[in-house]
Amino acid sequence: MSLFRRSPDERRVRALRDAPPGPLRDYLSVPLPAPSVPLGQLRLLAVDIETTGLDPGTDRILSIGYVPVDGGSVVLGGAGRAVVRGGAGAAGEDGVGRSATVHGLTDDTLAGGEPLEDAVADLLRALTGRALLAHFARIETGFLSAACERLWGVGMPCAVVDTLALEERAVAGRWRHEAPRGALRLWSARERHGLPVYRAHEALTDALACAELYLAQRAELEAGSPGTTLTLRQVMA
């Protein structure tokens, strides 16, 4: 079977064979949620990361925020946030640069942060046994998997629910061609669902915003499928 056709849990088992002892191996030792899990029983972790750019090969993680979602509840007591100590990125660059105008994190702030290894280890512990929930999730999965490869030599397979993909599905057909610029962004999607406005580009706030959006999207999906038990398979990216 081609690697690209493997399920997330099959990729997890494959990665486990090569993972050294440590946080990543501990994460990989626990099965991912099965596609058949009903949404009412699904355990997710809403994740947001702030970075210096969009390329995991040259840019670096600046902060990580996450909050669990158990079934239909956001578990604020399980939320976490880490600012990652400044240092050279994947290609040797240092400093926040122009990205500070987006997320507000400065080099001085990052100097007081924690090592990337500790921040990713905490995230892995929180993500264990859960599906990763994010808006435009390829950013989170790309950077986190690249970080795991650099730190432990193995990537980070995960089951993914992407609220951007769910929103795109929900509004399909509303526009004759492609969606207007910005129409599928997190804050535009929240506005469509009547959710409150938060300050953008702070990792924990954005993770919470994504979790709330998912619950609104789930309610919309369930309202459109009365009498049907929706599962992870119906929402998995």
Side-chain angles (χ1 to χ4, degrees), residues 147-236:
C148 287
E149 288 187 19
R150 290 196 294 271
L151 292 166
W152 298 293
V154 181
M156 188 197 79
C158 58
V160 177
V161 177
D162 191 334
T163 51
L164 186 146
L166 292 178
E167 190 67 14
E168 190 171 33
R169 183 198 308 180
V171 300
R174 175 173 292 192
W175 301 287
R176 292 186 61 184
H177 301 292
E178 63 182 23
R181 182 178 179 86
L184 297 174
R185 289 180 178 172
L186 176 60
W187 306 105
S188 298
R190 284 178 60 86
E191 182 179 6
R192 188 178 77 84
H193 288 277
L195 295 169
V197 177
Y198 296 151
R199 176 178 174 268
H201 300 299
E202 194 286 323
L204 180 53
T205 302
D206 284 3
L208 175 60
C210 178
E212 293 176 342
L213 174 60
Y214 162 76
L215 293 181
Q217 291 172 327
R218 176 187 155 189
E220 186 175 55
L221 285 170
E222 291 174 336
S225 304
T228 302
T229 300
L230 297 180
T231 66
L232 172 58
R233 183 177 286 108
Q234 272 76 58
V235 298
M236 191 161 56

Side-chain angles (χ1 to χ4, degrees), residues 3 22 30 160:
L3 175 63
V30 178
V160 177

